[in-house]
């Protein structure tokens, strides 16, 4: 049996939660390998709605769920999320949840710095969630992070705190803020440490054992390829690598462990926050997509920007992340449109382009070239086979897979787990 790596092929918010939940029910372990609690999944299981930001989706079904070393962890956010899920009847213990002991922590100073920077940035705002993810990754790369394993050695923290505070105190002074209160920070860490440490372990070792036993591992990505710090719409990106290759480094397993790469692709395009968006619609069609798709961020509640499907961006995402097949979500949102459009290329200062350029000025200047197709009046909601889909919806799906040069593995037709058309099972080699 193959492992499966799930990534978003847009800017996140593609409907990964439902797909990951569906796959998690058939996996033996689910692993988060990057990002922080700036990501969000909404799972609908029967009459229960679960909102996850940190915990892998498998936790709802009792599947072994692991937060890998590539994640930056806010321990207080984790405690809050665990309490919320337990109040909904979900069991979370060290038997079904493990946390990498070499995860870098998001601290209160990271959240403060995130907010101070965004406020001061003016027109240069990135549109972060303000949750400290970027500053935490900066400290990790700068070799001054406090990690999960450090919580067991808080009486020996002075050298680390010296490095950390030398950096942050200077930044805070630049914003006319007082220095880090080291005593308060240590008190807060001592209070949260027992909760976090009960789950901490070398997860690479546990995953090695799981894999050796022939179990199926699902690697769960956060955000999307277009938010990758290298390959996304820089600087309007997240602070980690979101491509499928990060599953290896962010979990402690090798690059041959990622298996089938499933790219989650919405049947239209959305984006939260600032940055270029070639097919964005500011008209009634864009408003209709947003209203019908309930386009509000799971984590932030911010309204998402909406536009037509951009085959250029998705083709690029699939190539960069080695996508084996896509899961097309929210096709039902397009029900009732007289016609639908797909972006097949860009025009940039008179030149035709078949890829999205790297420079932000060029990204902002490209004009989409559209191909228009007939829409469908019938509903696709709840369809579970090709026979349930209108002919024009099938033509639309087929045209998408031609343009992105990647086959459709499954189609999601509602938030419900079972409303899925399976073309190719990602878990079968």
């Amino acid at each position: 049996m193959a492992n499966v790596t799930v990534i978003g092929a847009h800017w996140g918010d593609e409907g990964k939660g439902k797909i990951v939940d569906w796959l998690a029910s058939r996996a033996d372990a689910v692993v988060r390998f990057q990002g922080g609690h700036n990501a969000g999944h909404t799972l609908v299981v029967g009459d229960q709605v679960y909102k996850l930001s940190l915990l892998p989706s498998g936790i709802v079904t009792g599947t072994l769920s692991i937060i890998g070393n590539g994640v930056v962890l806010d321990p207080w956010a984790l405690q809050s999320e665990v309490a919320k899920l337990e109040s909904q009847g979900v069991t979370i213990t060290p038997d079904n949840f493990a946390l990498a002991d070499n995860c870098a922590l998001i601290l209160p100073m990271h959240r403060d710095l995130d907010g101070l920077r965004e406020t001061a940035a003016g027109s240069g705002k990135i549109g972060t969630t303000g949750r400290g993810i970027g500053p935490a990754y900066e400290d990790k790369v700068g070799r001054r992070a406090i990690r999960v394993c450090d919580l067991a050695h808080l009486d020996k923290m002075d050298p680390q705190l010296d490095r950390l505070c030398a950096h942050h105190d200077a930044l805070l002074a630049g914003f006319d803020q007082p220095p880090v209160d080291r005593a308060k920070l240590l008190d807060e860490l001592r209070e949260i440490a027992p909760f976090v440490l009960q789950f901490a372990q070398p997860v690479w070792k546990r995953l090695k054992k799981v894999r050796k036993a022939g179990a199926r591992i699902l690697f769960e990505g956060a955000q999307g390829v277009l938010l990758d710090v290298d390959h996304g719409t820089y600087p309007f990106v997240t602070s980690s690598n979101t491509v499928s290759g990060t599953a290896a480094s962010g979990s402690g397993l090798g690059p041959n462990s990622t298996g089938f790469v499933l790219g989650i692709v919405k049947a239209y395009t959305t984006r939260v926050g600032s940055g270029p968006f070639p097919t964005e619609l500011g008209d009634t069609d864009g408003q209709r997509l947003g209203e019908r798709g309930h386009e509000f961020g799971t984590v932030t509640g911010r309204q998402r920007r909406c536009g037509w499907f951009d085959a250029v961006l998705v083709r690029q995402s699939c190539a960069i992340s080695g996508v084996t097949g896509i899961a097309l979500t929210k096709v039902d949102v397009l029900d009732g449109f007289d016609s639908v459009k797909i972006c097949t290329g860009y025009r940039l200062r008179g030149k035709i382009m078949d890829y999205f350029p790297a420079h932000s000025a060029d990204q902002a200047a490209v004009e989409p070239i559209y191909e228009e197709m007939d829409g469908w009046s019938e509903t696709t909601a709840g369809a579970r086979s090709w026979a349930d889909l209108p002919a024009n919806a099938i033509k639309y799906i087929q045209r998408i897979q031609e343009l992105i040069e990647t086959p459709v593995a499954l189609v999601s037709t509602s938030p419900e787990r079972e409303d899925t058309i399976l073309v190719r099972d990602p878990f079968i080699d």
Side-chain angles (χ1 to χ4, degrees):
M1 290 293 183
N3 295 333
V4 177
T5 299
V6 175
I7 51 114
H10 293 146
W11 286 285
D13 308 310
E14 300 93 351
K16 290 189 294 296
K18 177 258 179 84
I19 302 299
V20 169
D21 172 54
W22 182 77
L23 290 167
S25 65
R26 304 165 61 234
D28 301 295
V30 184
V31 184
R32 269 285 307 274
F33 57 85
Q34 51 75 220
H37 64 310
N38 55 339
H41 290 336
T42 300
L43 310 181
V44 180
V45 183
D47 59 355
Q48 279 274 30
V49 177
Y50 304 96
K51 292 187 181 292
L52 308 179
S53 294
L54 263 175
L55 289 164
S57 300
I59 200 71
V60 171
T61 55
T63 306
L64 173 62
S65 297
I66 291 173
I67 291 180
N69 58 274
V71 173
V72 285
L73 179 86
D74 183 323
W76 299 277
L78 176 65
Q79 186 179 48
S80 176
E81 189 168 317
V82 167
K84 170 66 174 172
L85 287 174
E86 286 180 337
S87 74
Q88 292 183 275
V90 177
T91 300
I92 302 171
T93 71
D95 291 328
N96 67 355
F97 174 54
L99 171 63
D101 55 5
N102 53 343
C103 258
L105 296 180
I106 299 173
L107 304 172
M109 67 182 73
H110 295 134
R111 297 194 299 267
D112 295 342
L113 180 59
D114 211 350
L116 288 167
R117 282 175 171 171
E118 277 290 274
T119 301
S123 60
K125 280 184 171 63
I126 300 296
T128 77
T129 59
R131 299 186 174 215
I133 280 78
Y137 272 116
E138 289 174 39
D139 280 351
K140 176 181 176 179
V141 174
R143 295 168 295 181
R144 54 183 171 264
I146 295 175
R147 302 188 299 169
V148 168
C149 55
D150 294 323
L151 295 175
H153 303 276
L154 290 175
D155 56 337
K156 301 175 182 177
M157 288 288 292
D158 282 345
Q160 285 172 270
L161 286 174
D162 287 344
R163 285 198 303 274
L164 187 67
C165 293
H167 177 78
H168 279 271
D169 287 351
L171 290 175
L172 289 168
F175 288 107
D176 198 25
Q177 298 293 313
V180 174
D181 186 333
R182 291 172 61 147
K184 181 182 178 184
L185 175 61
L186 278 171
D187 286 344
E188 290 173 327
L189 291 173
R190 285 191 185 96
E191 186 179 355
I192 197 71
F195 170 79
V196 175
L197 289 172
Q198 67 178 314
F199 303 113
Q201 59 184 270
V203 299
W204 64 268
K205 190 174 181 181
R206 188 162 185 181
L207 282 170
K208 181 183 177 183
K209 183 178 180 181
V210 166
R211 194 174 180 215
K212 193 174 181 180
R216 295 187 288 199
I217 302 172
L218 175 64
F219 296 95
E220 177 184 345
Q223 291 97 24
V225 173
L226 297 175
L227 290 174
D228 186 279
V229 70
D230 287 309
H231 300 289
T233 49
Y234 192 91
F236 302 99
V237 292
T238 195
S239 298
S240 60
N241 287 110
T242 60
V243 294
S244 61
T246 313
S249 60
S251 66
L253 284 175
N256 63 344
S257 63
T258 52
F260 188 107
V261 180
L262 183 68
I264 314 300
V265 178
K266 203 174 279 185
Y268 49 102
T269 309
T270 63
R271 175 165 202 173
V272 169
S274 307
F277 185 172
T279 65
E280 183 174 11
L281 297 171
D283 57 10
T284 54
D285 284 339
Q287 184 178 352
R288 185 177 176 186
L289 288 171
E291 290 173 353
R292 295 201 60 187
H294 306 292
E295 296 297 351
F296 295 91
T298 300
V299 169
T300 63
R302 289 184 291 181
Q303 186 168 356
R304 299 178 187 133
R305 301 150 64 191
C306 298
W308 295 118
F309 187 88
D310 192 330
V312 185
L313 283 178
V314 175
R315 182 171 62 239
Q316 192 161 321
S317 291
C318 289
I320 289 167
S321 217
V323 172
T324 315
I326 68 163
L328 193 66
T329 67
K330 304 188 86 166
V331 176
D332 54 300
V333 174
L334 297 176
D335 293 353
F337 278 89
D338 293 332
S339 63
V340 290
K341 294 180 181 179
I342 301 175
C343 174
T344 59
Y346 303 128
R347 190 173 284 105
L348 178 62
R349 304 181 190 97
K351 181 182 177 182
I352 304 299
M353 303 188 71
D354 64 354
Y355 68 97
F356 200 49
H359 196 275
S360 57
D362 291 338
Q363 292 176 349
V366 297
E367 300 173 12
I369 299 169
Y370 285 117
E371 178 178 306
E372 191 164 357
M373 301 180 68
D374 290 334
W376 53 92
S377 57
E378 310 95 317
T379 183
T380 62
R384 298 185 181 182
S385 71
W386 287 114
D388 296 332
L389 293 176
N392 283 349
I394 295 174
K395 289 177 183 176
Y396 180 75
I397 295 167
Q398 290 174 334
R399 185 57 178 148
I400 281 176
Q401 67 179 356
E402 288 171 5
L403 288 168
I404 66 173
E405 300 172 2
T406 308
V408 172
L410 54 94
V411 180
S412 169
T413 57
S414 93
E416 295 293 334
R417 183 189 291 174
E418 301 305 320
D419 290 342
T420 304
I421 300 171
L422 183 64
V423 181
R424 179 183 174 184
D425 189 338
F427 269 128
I428 296 178
D429 241 334

